[in-house]
Each structure stands twice: as C-alpha cells, then as structure tokens.
Amino acid sequence: MAILDLRACTLGHEHVAHAHTHHQLILATCGVTELEIEGAGDRVTGARGCLIPCSYHHEYEGDGLNRTLVLDVALDDLEPLRDADAMQRLFERPQFFTVPTRLNQLAATLMAQLEQFPALHSEIAALLLRALYLHLDLRLEQGPAIAGNGHPPLRVTSERIDLGRLNTWIDRHLADDIRVEELAGLCALSPGHFHARFRETFGTTPLAYVQRRRLEHARTLVRHSNLSLGHIASLVGFRDQGSFSRAYRRHFDVTPSAVRRTRTAI
C-alpha cells in the first residue's frame, strides 16, 4: 500500500462487513452511508465522519449517491509525517465525529484535486489528515469514546425490541432502502440505543440482520420460483444482480446461479 492511500468513491447499496490491517478515515462531501463499528452506528454525511482503527470490525451500506473520501493508513506510514504521534492518537479508538464546515469545504476541494491529479494522492492525503488533527474538537483526543449519536454510550435498559413487528416491517420493505433510524423509530428508541440493545439481544447488528433477512427471502425465490436472478435481486433490495450474487455467495457459500443449475438438473 502506498503511504496514505486516499481515494474518492461512491459507496453503493451493497452491504459490506469486514475488518482490515490498516487504519481508515472516512469523510463525505454529499450523500449518506450507514456505518457500524463494533455495533455502534451512525450515518457518514457531509457533517459526520468516522475514524476506524485497524482490526475493528465494521459494516456499511451507502445510498449510491454519496461522494466519499476513504483514507487508508498502514500502521507504519504515519511515522515520517509531521506531528506523527498526535495523528496516531486519532486512531486510538473508533470515533464518529462532527465535521466542521471548514473541514467539509476543504474535503470537497481536495476531492476535486484528487480526481484531477490522482498521482498526488499521498500529498493530498497528508494535508487532509493534518487538517483533521488541527480542526477536530478536543473530545476526539481527550473525551470518552462516543456512541454513534455523538453522546457517551447509553446504558442499555430493559426496553423490549419487538422482533415480530420489525420482521413484518422489514419484509414489506425488502425492495426499499432500509435505514437503522427507521427500525429504531418502530421501537421508540434513539438509533444509538437501538443499535446497542439490538446487538445485545440478538447477537448481531441491525444492518447485518436486515441483510440476512433479504438473503433468506432470496433463497426461497431462487429455489422455488422461475423469476430471473436480476428480478429477485431487485425484489429483495439489491441494486443489481452482481452485488446480489456476491452477497448470496458470501452468506450461503454457493452462488444463486449454481443453485438454479442444480435445480434444473434435478
């Protein structure tokens, strides 16, 4: 990996869950991406960014309309930089943070420069990282770890999540974008509290649960209907057949087309 590997991209509707061996900074100039880090969730927008230390499991799903800056920082790549120790502390723990207006404007300018001069990505990345260090609120370095809503983590109490009601709503909206805020609203909980309660109760995150339910419905259609795979993908909320097939294979360890071939052979 090159030092401070920066790229501009659009994060699509595909649900992605992973961890990696480098730190990551994510900023957006427009659009929305739902992101969870070890069960704490928030939305990455022009006003909210996040820092993901290496090895932290995270999952995300974009709206397909965002413009996002993703900065990958290999563990040893901060050492040559000015204020390396201070910038390393930015990645001591996962953080969602408020993006100051000036930083958002700078990110938009740097994104344009990056797209025009991609060979300068390391230099542009170094400038962005230093700007983040200089502009972020002191809470980022000195305050307690924060939940996705920007406040200290809420203590999970005894509110009951009605999974039956959630399942009914999810099943009716499989073809639509499903946001954690909507699910939390059905339970009369804040998004941050809902995340914590859901994971504690069911052992998974809301985004992962919705993805699993999409794929379970898809498996029934793949096995027992004659609908095309592209049509099935759209019915369960995938933007295209390719992203659907990749998600299906990750979940079931077989592609939907292979299932169809087996069914035909039988």
Side-chain angles (χ1 to χ4, degrees), residues 8 27-30 46 67-69 99-116 124 128:
L27 292 172
T29 57
C30 65
R67 289 300 292 153
T68 304
L69 280 171
V99 177
T101 300
R102 287 181 296 172
L103 181 60
N104 177 265
Q105 293 170 343
L106 177 62
T109 299
L110 293 180
M111 183 179 289
Q113 293 296 312
L114 178 65
E115 293 173 340
Q116 187 173 359
I124 294 171
L128 179 63

Side-chain angles (χ1 to χ4, degrees), residues 26-44:
I26 302 179
L27 292 172
T29 57
C30 65
V32 177
T33 295
E34 301 276 357
L35 191 146
E36 297 176 355
I37 310 172
E38 300 288 356
D42 204 342
R43 312 176 87 196
V44 176

